[in-house]
Amino acid sequence: MKARFTGHETFPLRYGWLQKAVNQLNNKGNLSISSDESVREAVIELGVGKNMVSAIRYWAEASAVIDLEAQAVTEEGNYLFGKKGKDRYLEHLGSVWLLHFWLNFNYKNLTAYRYYFNFSNARHFQKAKLVDDCIEQAGAICTGKIPNETTVKKDIDCFLNTYCHKQTVAKKKGAINEDHFSSPLSELNLVEDTGGGYYICDLVERSDLPIEVFMYGLLRFVAVETEQSDSTTMGFDSLLTKPYSPGRIFQLSEGGLGQKLDQAQLYKESGISWTDSEGLRQIAFDKNSLANPKHFLDIYYKGA
């Protein structure tokens, strides 16, 4: 794993950016910033400044909707944002949950948000402490040079601005700062800014997380974890606390994960069953379901 705490130019993800990136590449455009000509082309086509071109490029790659090396749209990108995409304008909250999963289900690069959602156990935290913890974790699991404190702080600021509704301190008490409405991920209410550099992210049931998106994330995780074995079972605790698990990424409480598994078990064609008796909590999976997790997204969008 490599540390990657730069690239977004401190811009939080905004509505419309990922669709712009997908359209640009599908229309044979270019998102490369390796030459002045390609940058000028992207500035004209996307209708934004140079720094925003870099930010769009960063978020589109980070969310796995484009392949920068190939300068091409991925299967995920076309699935959601292509000409026949399921939700090009992120009108369904399930699409935002899906985007959150894609951003954080990444074993290759560590960012501030991937650190927090996959490795941190801090529920009520101070931003300054999060910077220190993130640097420490990067030093423990990443190869190559670890960015300095200033760089990590900027990435954490961007992470928090992407996921939080910021409260203004001027004019009307409790008013929402319109500058932060532009990030779709703030709709998930995963992280709350309580003021003074303090934040809260409680583990809860996540009733607004569609069961189909949960099952997609669950099966993606299990497929990776069982790739080198023939195992079709996994312990409850692994699904709750292991990095990149649905419990971690979706920030589910123990009861919340249990409820989602109950729903999944009753879901038609889920191929999922689980036991919770005498201290043994184990989940069993059907190999056919593991082979096609996108099937459940198709069901979600058919009924959305």
Side-chain angles (χ1 to χ4, degrees), residues 257-271:
L257 178 60
Q259 286 188 7
K260 293 297 183 189
L261 290 172
D262 285 340
Q263 287 181 266
Q265 185 171 238
L266 296 174
Y267 201 94
K268 184 180 179 181
E269 300 177 1
S270 72

Side-chain angles (χ1 to χ4, degrees), residues 63-65 73-82 102 216 220:
S63 58
V65 302
V73 179
T74 63
E75 180 182 348
E76 289 88 347
N78 277 320
Y79 184 81
L80 204 56
F81 299 106
W102 285 345
Y216 170 83
R220 286 284 306 272

Side-chain angles (χ1 to χ4, degrees), residues 7-223:
H8 42 63
E9 303 295 334
T10 72
F11 287 108
L13 176 65
R14 297 186 180 183
Y15 276 105
W17 277 9
L18 301 182
Q19 185 202 13
K20 282 178 178 286
V22 169
N23 287 346
Q24 174 79 352
L25 293 184
N26 277 339
N27 291 331
K28 308 302 180 184
N30 198 319
L31 278 176
S32 170
I33 55 173
S34 59
S35 70
D36 290 341
E37 182 179 351
S38 62
V39 171
R40 284 194 295 270
E41 175 190 319
V43 166
I44 293 170
E45 293 296 327
L46 296 175
V48 298
K50 179 180 177 180
N51 286 351
M52 279 196 180
V53 170
S54 297
I56 290 172
R57 180 178 181 267
Y58 167 87
W59 286 111
E61 182 191 28
S63 58
V65 302
I66 69 168
D67 181 339
L68 275 182
E69 186 175 345
Q71 284 291 300
V73 179
T74 63
E75 180 182 348
E76 289 88 347
N78 277 320
Y79 184 81
L80 204 56
F81 299 106
K83 291 182 179 180
K84 296 183 179 180
K86 299 294 185 182
D87 190 6
R88 302 177 71 199
Y89 304 105
L90 294 178
E91 296 176 298
H92 302 294
L93 190 61
S95 300
V96 185
W97 277 113
L98 178 60
L99 180 58
H100 167 70
F101 177 80
W102 285 345
L103 274 170
N104 290 283
F105 192 70
N106 185 302
Y107 289 75
K108 295 181 179 179
N109 297 309
L110 185 70
T111 65
Y113 48 89
R114 288 173 190 153
Y115 159 70
Y116 184 75
F117 290 118
N118 285 302
F119 297 97
S120 177
N121 293 317
R123 306 272 57 88
H124 298 203
F125 60 91
Q126 188 177 21
K127 182 168 66 176
K129 179 65 164 58
L130 192 64
V131 172
D132 294 338
D133 292 346
C134 189
I135 292 172
E136 182 179 350
Q137 184 71 32
I141 67 174
C142 293
T143 60
K145 184 179 179 180
I146 305 304
N148 60 36
E149 181 179 341
T150 300
T151 299
V152 174
K153 182 181 181 299
K154 287 181 180 179
D155 197 40
I156 285 177
D157 284 339
C158 187
F159 150 51
L160 294 172
N161 288 335
T162 297
Y163 277 92
C164 293
H165 289 300
K166 286 287 186 179
Q167 301 293 326
T168 59
V169 294
K171 297 182 178 179
K172 294 182 180 180
K173 184 179 180 181
I176 300 295
N177 185 343
E178 293 182 2
D179 290 341
H180 296 278
F181 271 127
S182 54
S183 173
L185 292 163
S186 65
E187 291 186 28
L188 301 180
N189 296 312
L190 283 166
V191 184
E192 179 186 354
D193 179 5
T194 60
Y198 289 87
Y199 297 81
I200 294 175
C201 178
D202 286 329
L203 302 178
V204 296
E205 295 175 359
R206 307 292 173 200
S207 59
D208 60 353
L209 169 62
I211 186 60
E212 296 89 352
V213 177
F214 166 79
M215 287 194 293
Y216 170 83
L218 172 69
L219 295 172
R220 286 284 306 272
F221 171 70
V222 172

